[in-house]
Amino acid sequence: MGLLALLRKLKSAPDRELRILLLGLDNAGKTTLLKKLASEDVSSITPTQGFNIKSVNTSGFKLNVWDIGGQRKIRPYWKNYFDRTDVLLYVIDSSDRKRFEETGLELSELLEEEKLAGVPVMIYANKQDLFDAAPASEIAECLELTNIRDRTWHIQGCSAMTGEGIEDGVKWAMKQVSGKKK
């Protein structure tokens, strides 16, 4: 049994590294999502003043996740992190309808960036555990996501606090890049 456990451990060692860019407006839940993905405590989160980097092993991949702050004054610096991005994770606060237009504009600008051309986009409709959260389908319609034609994209309802939906989004993202990275 010891040898079998060792072989399983070796087999589960990540054989591919991916650079994941985690963006969205301030207070969307990016850092909470990243901490939940890394199986860390999410009971005390502070706004990101700059960036966080975490490496997470999942599904045979080592995910190097760059969580960049979403405050208005930080957003112009997002472009400094675009190089070699394999997947863009974009987080939206589903309960903050007042900011849907703003987050839609930011996402549109990201999709026009040359360095992100063709990069798959996983959009997390976060905070689905709140009673006033818009469903992912409503957000997709509001942001006119069906007009995205130059890359694969997916919107996934989730709750960064409970973890619900996060793994489904990661699985989708890994499927998009599994044939591209060796």
Side-chain angles (χ1 to χ4, degrees):
M1 190 73 159
L3 179 59
L4 185 57
L6 178 64
L7 290 174
R8 281 188 184 137
K9 184 175 180 180
L10 289 173
K11 185 172 174 24
S12 69
D15 56 357
R16 298 182 263 187
E17 283 193 37
L18 297 177
R19 179 179 164 92
I20 310 292
L21 192 54
L22 180 58
L23 299 175
L25 302 185
D26 53 305
N27 202 38
K30 299 176 299 298
T31 302
T32 306
L33 190 142
L34 178 56
K35 284 184 169 255
K36 196 63 155 182
L37 186 62
S39 300
E40 294 179 8
D41 179 30
V42 295
S43 62
S44 177
I45 305 288
T46 58
T48 302
Q49 300 294 321
F51 62 90
N52 295 310
I53 306 168
K54 290 207 183 298
S55 292
V56 179
N57 293 322
T58 184
S59 305
F61 289 91
K62 178 180 180 185
L63 309 179
N64 297 309
V65 184
W66 292 71
D67 165 23
I68 315 299
Q71 296 88 345
R72 189 179 307 272
K73 65 182 182 201
I74 295 176
R75 291 181 218 155
Y77 299 101
W78 284 356
K79 64 182 173 227
N80 296 323
Y81 301 91
F82 293 166
D83 284 335
R84 297 180 314 278
T85 295
D86 294 304
V87 175
L88 172 62
L89 302 181
Y90 192 81
V91 183
I92 296 173
D93 179 345
S94 301
S95 69
D96 194 356
R97 286 177 167 81
K98 296 179 308 229
R99 296 185 81 190
F100 284 179
E101 183 178 348
E102 181 182 2
T103 198
L105 289 171
E106 290 295 341
L107 179 58
S108 293
E109 286 182 24
L110 288 169
L111 297 177
E112 292 173 11
E113 288 288 340
E114 186 177 324
K115 289 183 179 179
L116 294 176
V119 171
V121 181
M122 174 67 241
I123 302 154
Y124 279 110
N126 191 24
K127 303 188 183 181
Q128 291 294 310
D129 54 320
L130 301 179
F131 77 94
D132 59 345
S137 58
E138 181 182 324
I139 294 170
E141 188 176 318
C142 182
L143 272 55
E144 300 178 350
L145 297 179
T146 56
N147 292 337
I148 299 173
R149 303 271 189 237
D150 64 340
R151 71 193 71 226
T152 58
W153 64 271
H154 179 71
I155 187 165
Q156 175 69 48
C158 76
S159 167
M161 288 301 288
T162 67
E164 185 177 341
I166 294 173
E167 191 63 32
D168 292 334
V170 170
K171 286 179 183 175
W172 178 88
M174 297 305 93
K175 185 177 178 184
Q176 302 311 301
V177 295
S178 62
K180 297 177 185 175
K181 286 285 203 176
K182 297 287 182 197

